[in-house]
Amino acid sequence: MSVRHKSMPPGLIALALGAFGIGLTEFVIMGLLPEVAADFAVTEPVAGWLISGYALSVAVGGVALTAAVTRLPRKPVLLGLMVLFIIGNLLSAVAGDYAVMMAGRIVAALCHGAFFGIGAVVAAGLVAPARRAGAIALMFAGLTIANVLGVPFGTFLGQHFGWRSTFWAITGIGVVALIGLALLIPGRGSVDAQRPAGGLRGELRAFTHPQVWLSLVITILGFGGMFGAFTYIAYTLTEVSGFATSTVPWLLVLFGVGLFAGNLLGGRAADVSLSRTLVTVLAALTVVLVGFALTASSPVLTIASLVLMGAFGFATVPPLQMRIMRYAHQAPTLASGANIAAFNLGNALGAWIGGVTIAAGLGYTAPIWAGAALTLAGLGVLLASLRLARRSEATTADADLAPTAV
């Protein structure tokens, strides 16, 4: 009997390759933030806006670009988005001042939301329904591998050869990813077969479902908590935990290992029970962040917290993406892109609150406390949404059982 249906579709490899390049651009700046701030003579919170500005641009691009390309074939759209990514990183590599650097970050970020939003729909369509969360997790595995291997190496490269060398390397990776997408993504007949006929209007109709909006809020708060804690992690590691600057890249490897494992396990668990997985992971992430904030002065416990924060933080990604696609199942493309925007709104919110706490003189563990509060709020919204969903299902069931007037 053939087992071909159980193998990994080559298209998932291409999507993971694109995700790898985008993951480098999003996260590598964190390990290089001190060097970039010193080069452009800006303060730590101002340098942090290179992260927040990227995240906000992803939020805009995730919705606006996805809406603009709804009717277009998905493969050419993914290729065009990767070209935009390459241009943005090239601008960052040659930036002569902070403004040009920010412009490069914005251009690269515009492709991010649409790429992951459309890519998640394509990935889910390449496998059987029972494996969709796992397929999405495999695509996002490129993002986590970027943290395990790419971000530490990029940080090391930037510290030894200048931070610009890192962005030159990312530009080259973008070219390789573009070639991979061109060769491995199926043609139009495969990836566009399940597109709803309603176009943009049909996609917008998905947003009439209250659970779609609640899913976006859960993503912003739940994932934003982890990202807020991670944004200023280089300062936490060196100023609180006492690690040398040269060890930061290798500590980020441990964080990336947690991301990779959590992403895949979260996808598998979500295919079994989506709601239970989300409740468990958000609760665990809150506990881990609180523990990290309390023990950040201990190098040993900091290492454990880094791994667990990465694992539980990224274990939220496949189920959060799958949740909104489930409630917007008739027209999931724009809702999927909107959820990628929500991830990055959470990133921007977490990074902004973290910067505010540092500027207020609360210390480098304050962003972690703020992240724990955001994640706890996300858990609260999730529990409320599940209660609302059960009530709605009960009401529907009662209506179905009621006698029909004749």
Side-chain angles (χ1 to χ4, degrees), residues 77-89:
V77 166
L78 289 174
L79 295 176
L81 293 171
M82 189 52 59
V83 170
L84 196 63
F85 165 83
I86 293 169
I87 293 171
N89 280 287

Side-chain angles (χ1 to χ4, degrees), residues 152-298:
F153 177 75
T155 303
F156 176 85
L157 187 67
Q159 288 177 347
H160 289 78
F161 300 100
W163 62 265
R164 297 176 191 280
S165 64
T166 301
F167 286 94
W168 280 111
I170 294 173
T171 301
I173 291 170
V175 173
V176 175
L178 178 66
I179 295 171
L181 289 168
L183 294 177
L184 299 178
I185 288 292
R188 178 173 180 173
S190 299
V191 299
D192 293 328
Q194 302 302 319
R195 178 181 297 162
L200 180 57
R201 183 174 297 179
E203 296 284 345
L204 289 172
R205 195 173 297 123
F207 290 88
T208 61
H209 199 308
Q211 288 292 342
V212 169
W213 289 102
L214 287 170
S215 296
L216 294 174
V217 174
I218 295 164
T219 297
I220 290 170
L221 296 174
F223 191 76
M226 188 279 287
F227 201 90
F230 184 61
T231 296
Y232 297 96
I233 196 66
Y235 298 110
T236 305
L237 294 175
T238 56
E239 301 299 325
V240 180
S241 304
F243 291 103
T245 301
S246 59
T247 65
V248 171
W250 313 116
L251 292 170
L252 293 180
V253 170
L254 297 177
F255 178 78
V257 169
L259 294 184
F260 182 78
N263 174 64
L264 294 181
L265 292 175
R268 292 179 182 178
D271 276 328
V272 176
S273 177
L274 182 58
S275 297
R276 187 182 301 119
T277 297
L278 271 176
V279 171
T280 301
V281 169
L282 287 177
L285 179 58
T286 302
V287 172
V288 167
L289 289 174
V290 170
F292 189 8
L294 290 172
T295 62
S297 60
S298 167

Side-chain angles (χ1 to χ4, degrees), residues 89-163:
N89 280 287
L90 185 60
L91 274 176
S92 294
V94 301
D97 55 38
Y98 180 86
V100 176
M101 178 69 176
M102 179 63 81
R105 296 284 291 168
I106 290 172
V107 171
L110 287 175
C111 81
H112 182 131
F115 183 91
F116 279 106
I118 295 171
V121 175
V122 171
L126 292 175
V127 299
R131 300 175 59 203
R132 285 176 178 170
I136 293 171
L138 284 173
M139 183 190 74
F140 277 95
L143 197 65
T144 60
I145 291 172
N147 281 274
V148 176
L149 301 176
V151 170
F153 177 75
T155 303
F156 176 85
L157 187 67
Q159 288 177 347
H160 289 78
F161 300 100
W163 62 265

